[in-house]
């Protein structure tokens, strides 16, 4: 007995019970889970817009590189949101009850993995810069994390290519299971490296400069949101789901949420900066070498602009002061006498 659709806009069409059950199962495991992730990402996209509006109002004067990062992230997030909505509309409205369309991909959902990897790379470039400003030894960690993110982008591009050539969802899941898992794992490891470095830097900064007025909420926000730890946890969950349930789009739904959390974290860190007068000021001294006072001033200004943990230097900087005293004596039988003295290097104690 066929299932009649009389009384609906699809009157006159019938679907066999076996086909209907298979279609319902496929939709619930794929696009049904995907649309739940889309709903959650739309809520988070609204938070992104609020954070972006706050940044535009508070930081009209900022470095060009940071402004460019903010603009690129918001444009990519808007395109990402539009692609997610289009995919849901294609399967649930334009091709509702179409068993053939339900088993095939559409261009918007096929390009989403690459778009997500680009957003992750751009957002995490900001955190990699923060890590590199903690100290010279952290620059290697920042470079390592950035290389992992580039590798994740390459795998995402391969996933998009395979999805475009796959003839059905089942073939796509079989062909790209290892690509999906490895791509998400690379991004998760990069998150862990950057978050761990920032957490260690914040602990050292708070140990050197205690903040007695901080509440528990401030501490949780500092370590969970400011460090990018929350995005790393969600991304790790997406990687685990891709390994456990590769044929279900639970990992894709979590990825939609994780991408929006990247942008929210990025904008939240920027908006948490104070009104620092030194932001945008750089001092150059090409005649000096090493970490002198001029280089220290440049470093502190960069730390403030990128909201990196202010870790105290292991060795206090010094200023070499030389004072020359000259005395001239005029008189009968006396010539001009010149003497000079110099002071030793004085340690500079930062306030």
């Amino acid at each position: 007995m066929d299932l009649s659709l009389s009384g609906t806009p699809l009157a006159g069409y019938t679907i066999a019970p076996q086909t209907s059950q298979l279609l319902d199962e496929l939709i619930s495991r794929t696009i049904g889970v995907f649309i739940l992730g889309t709903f959650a990402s739309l809520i988070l996209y609204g938070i992104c817009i609020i954070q972006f509006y706050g940044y535009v109002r508070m930081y009209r004067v900022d470095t060009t590189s940071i402004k460019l990062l903010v603009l690129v992230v918001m444009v990519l997030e808007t395109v990402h949101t539009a692609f997610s909505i289009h995919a849901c509309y294609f399967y649930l409205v334009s091709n509702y009850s179409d068993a053939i369309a339900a088993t095939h991909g559409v261009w918007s959902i096929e390009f989403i993995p690459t778009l997500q990897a680009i957003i992750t790379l751009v957002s995490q470039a900001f955190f990699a810069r923060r890590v590199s400003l903690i100290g010279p030894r952290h620059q290697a960690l920042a470079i390592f994390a950035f290389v992992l993110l580039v590798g994740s982008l390459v795998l995402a591009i391969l996933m998009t290519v395979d999805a475009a050539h796959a003839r059905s969802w089942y073939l796509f899941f079989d062909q790209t299971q290892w690509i999906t898992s490895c791509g998400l794992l690379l991004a998760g490891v990069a998150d862990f490296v950057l978050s761990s470095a920032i957490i260690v830097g914040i602990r050292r900064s708070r140990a050197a400069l205690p903040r007695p007025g901080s509440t528990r909420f401030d501490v949780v926000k500092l370590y969970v949101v400011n460090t990018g730890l929350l995005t790393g946890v969600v991304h790790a969950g997406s990687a685990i789901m891709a390994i456990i349930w590769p044929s279900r789009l639970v990992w894709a739904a979590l990825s939609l949420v994780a991408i929006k959390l990247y942008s929210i974290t990025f904008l939240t860190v920027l908006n948490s900066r104070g009104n620092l007068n030194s932001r945008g000021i750089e001092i150059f001294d090409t005649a000096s070498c090493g970490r002198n006072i001029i280089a220290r001033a440049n470093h502190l200004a960069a730390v403030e602009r990128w909201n990196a943990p202010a870790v105290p230097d292991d060795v206090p900087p010094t200023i070499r002061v030389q004072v020359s005293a000259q005395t001239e004596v005029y008189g009968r039988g006396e010539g001009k006498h010149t003497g000079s003295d110099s002071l030793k290097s004085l340690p500079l104690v930062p306030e």
Side-chain angles (χ1 to χ4, degrees):
M1 178 179 180
D2 293 345
L3 298 179
S4 176
L5 299 176
S6 59
T8 69
L10 300 177
Y13 292 87
T14 57
I15 302 177
Q18 296 83 358
T19 304
S20 177
Q21 292 178 358
L22 292 175
L23 184 61
D24 291 342
E25 181 181 358
L26 179 63
I27 291 178
S28 63
R29 294 173 56 181
T30 56
I31 196 63
V33 181
F34 185 84
I35 195 173
L36 294 178
T38 301
F39 290 158
S41 66
L42 288 175
I43 298 175
L44 297 177
Y45 179 69
I47 299 177
C48 288
I49 294 177
I50 295 175
Q51 293 289 342
F52 175 70
Y53 177 73
Y55 172 80
V56 172
R57 290 196 59 184
M58 292 188 296
Y59 300 101
R60 297 182 180 180
V61 178
D62 209 343
T63 58
T64 304
S65 57
I66 294 180
K67 285 184 176 181
L68 184 61
L69 279 177
V70 172
L71 180 61
V72 170
V73 166
M74 285 306 302
V75 171
L76 292 175
E77 284 290 2
T78 302
V79 175
H80 178 262
T81 302
F83 280 19
S84 302
I85 295 175
H86 175 269
C88 295
Y89 189 89
F90 175 82
Y91 287 108
L92 300 179
V93 178
S94 300
N95 295 278
Y96 177 73
S97 296
D98 189 340
I100 297 178
T103 58
H104 290 73
V106 64
W107 61 267
S108 55
I109 201 171
E110 292 169 355
F111 192 73
I112 281 178
T114 299
L115 187 60
Q116 291 183 160
I118 296 174
I119 295 175
T120 303
L121 181 64
V122 175
S123 301
Q124 291 293 73
F126 172 79
F127 287 90
R129 176 57 176 164
R130 293 178 68 197
V131 171
S132 67
L133 290 173
I134 297 177
R137 292 176 295 182
H138 291 75
Q139 295 178 0
L141 292 177
I143 295 174
F144 175 69
F146 193 80
V147 171
L148 292 179
L149 293 172
V150 173
S152 177
L153 175 60
V154 173
L155 292 178
I157 295 175
L158 292 177
M159 189 188 308
T160 297
V161 173
D162 289 341
H165 290 85
R167 290 175 295 177
S168 68
W169 283 111
Y170 300 103
L171 292 177
F172 169 74
F173 293 141
D174 292 338
Q175 296 173 0
T176 63
Q177 179 179 357
W178 71 271
I179 299 178
T180 304
S181 304
C182 291
L184 294 174
L185 284 175
L186 287 179
V189 173
D191 288 341
F192 175 77
V193 171
L194 296 177
S195 300
S196 300
I198 295 176
I199 289 174
V200 173
I202 290 177
R203 289 182 61 85
R204 291 180 59 188
S205 177
R206 291 176 62 86
L209 300 172
R211 296 170 177 83
S214 300
T215 62
R216 290 186 177 180
F217 176 77
D218 295 333
V219 174
V220 172
K221 178 182 177 182
L222 180 64
Y223 283 100
V224 176
V225 178
N226 190 280
T227 61
L229 179 62
L230 179 61
T231 58
V233 171
V234 178
H235 217 143
S238 177
I240 294 174
M241 291 297 103
I243 296 174
I244 298 176
W245 292 329
S247 62
R248 300 184 181 183
L249 291 183
V250 177
W251 56 269
L254 290 177
S255 295
L256 294 177
V257 175
I259 294 305
K260 292 297 184 290
L261 290 178
Y262 275 118
S263 301
I264 292 175
T265 303
F266 167 58
L267 294 171
T268 301
V269 172
L270 286 178
N271 292 338
S272 63
R273 299 175 299 175
N275 294 322
L276 304 172
N277 295 327
S278 60
R279 188 182 302 113
I281 299 176
E282 292 193 15
I283 306 172
F284 298 91
D285 180 22
T286 57
S288 301
C289 298
R291 190 71 174 275
N292 54 16
I293 186 61
I294 305 300
R296 178 178 171 82
N298 285 332
H299 176 76
L300 291 177
V303 167
E304 292 172 352
R305 285 194 302 272
W306 295 85
N307 200 5
V311 179
D313 292 336
D314 297 332
V315 179
T318 61
I319 295 181
R320 182 173 298 277
V321 180
Q322 293 183 349
V323 180
S324 177
Q326 187 174 26
T327 305
E328 295 184 358
V329 180
Y330 295 92
R332 186 175 57 184
E334 296 179 352
K336 184 173 70 173
H337 173 72
T338 302
S340 63
D341 191 12
S342 63
L343 297 181
K344 296 181 179 180
S345 298
L346 301 178
L348 174 65
V349 181
E351 296 180 356

